[in-house]
Amino acid sequence: METIRAKGIQDEKVLTAINSLPRHFFMEKGFEEWAYIDKAFPIGSDQTISQPYTVAFQTELLQIKKRDKILEVGTGSGYQASILALLGARVHTIERQEDLYHKTNILLEKLDVGNIRTYFRDGYKGIPEFAPFDKMIITAGAKSVPTTLKNQLKIGGILVIPIGDDNTQKMFRITRVSEKEFKKEEFANFRFVPFLKGTNKK
Ligand code: SAH
C-alpha cells in the first residue's frame, strides 16, 4: 500500500503481506467500503481494527523470521495475527472479549491464512504452556510492561508494546538481552484501546 510506504514503512515483506491480505474480510458490514483507507474502525464489543500503518509499524519492529513463535495480545479482528501468519510466523493470539474471540475464531478458520491459534484468556498472563516466545506484540495500550509477559520472552526475543495513558501511547521495542537485562527503544505516538485486566464473558 503506497500510503503506508510514504509514511515510512520500508520492509518489503511487510508491505507485500499488507498488500496481499484483503482487509475488508476483517471489517463489519457497513464499514467494508472503507477498508482500504488508512484508519482504525469499529469491529464490535467496543473494539477497533488497527489502522494498516499501525499494523505495519508494529510488524516491522518485530523483524519476523519464518517459524518465529509469536504471542499476540488483543486478537480483535484477527487482521494483525493474519499478517504475522502470512510472514511465516507461528502465532498464538489472546482475546479477553468472549464474543469477539468466537467471531474472529470462526473467521480465521475460514480464511486459513497460516499457523494461528486463538485463546479466550487474560493477556496479562501470557501463555505459560507455550513460553518462551521469540516475539510478542501487544495491540492494546498498556500502562507499563507486564512482568509476566517479559518473563515469557526468549533471550534475544523482542516485545513490541504501546505504553501510555488512555489517550495516547508511545511505541516501545523491548529486547531481552539476557536473563535479567532488557533493552528499551522508544518510537512514535499511537492511540490504542486500553489493555484491560481479566476476561469479559458473554
Ligand atoms: N490486533 C487487533 C486490534 C485489536 S484492538 C486487530 O488486528 O484487529 C485491541 C484488542 O485487545 C481488543 O480486542 C481488546 O478486547 C483486546 N484486549 C484488551 N485487553 C486485553 C487482555 N488483557 N487480554 C487479551 N486481549 C485484550
Side-chain angles (χ1 to χ4, degrees), residues 80-186:
Q80 170 75 72
S82 300
I83 294 288
L84 296 169
L86 275 178
L87 290 166
R90 295 175 290 158
V91 185
H92 296 263
T93 180
I94 311 181
E95 176 54 57
R96 68 176 291 282
Q97 294 276 1
E98 192 178 18
D99 41 5
L100 197 52
Y101 158 77
H102 283 300
K103 194 169 98 177
T104 300
N105 196 28
I106 292 167
L107 176 73
L108 290 174
E109 272 184 17
K110 203 169 72 185
L111 294 179
D112 194 23
V113 296
N115 196 334
I116 305 176
R117 285 197 202 195
T118 59
Y119 304 80
F120 168 55
R121 290 193 190 182
D122 177 4
Y124 274 96
K125 302 199 170 98
I127 308 181
E129 68 270 36
F130 281 104
F133 292 90
D134 297 296
K135 312 275 164 74
M136 284 186 196
I137 172 172
I138 317 304
T139 67
K143 298 270 185 294
S144 61
V145 191
T147 311
T148 320
L149 295 185
K150 278 165 86 173
N151 288 337
Q152 290 183 19
L153 199 57
K154 274 189 194 166
I155 310 263
I158 294 174
L159 188 166
V160 172
I161 182 168
I163 302 175
D165 56 29
D166 285 351
N167 292 314
T168 161
Q169 304 92 30
K170 225 175 233 331
M171 196 65 75
F172 284 91
R173 176 165 60 190
I174 316 255
T175 308
R176 187 169 199 175
V177 183
S178 67
E179 186 65 32
K180 295 236 157 67
E181 269 174 293
F182 293 86
K183 181 177 90 180
K184 202 168 175 181
E185 297 165 276
E186 195 177 320

Side-chain angles (χ1 to χ4, degrees), residues 43 47-50 72-81 94-97 100 121-124 139-140 193-198:
I43 52 173
Q47 304 305 325
T48 53
I49 177 169
S50 301
E72 180 193 28
V73 175
T75 312
S77 68
Y79 179 69
Q80 170 75 72
I94 311 181
E95 176 54 57
R96 68 176 291 282
Q97 294 276 1
L100 197 52
R121 290 193 190 182
D122 177 4
Y124 274 96
T139 67
V193 296
F195 189 172
L196 300 171
K197 288 225 160 86

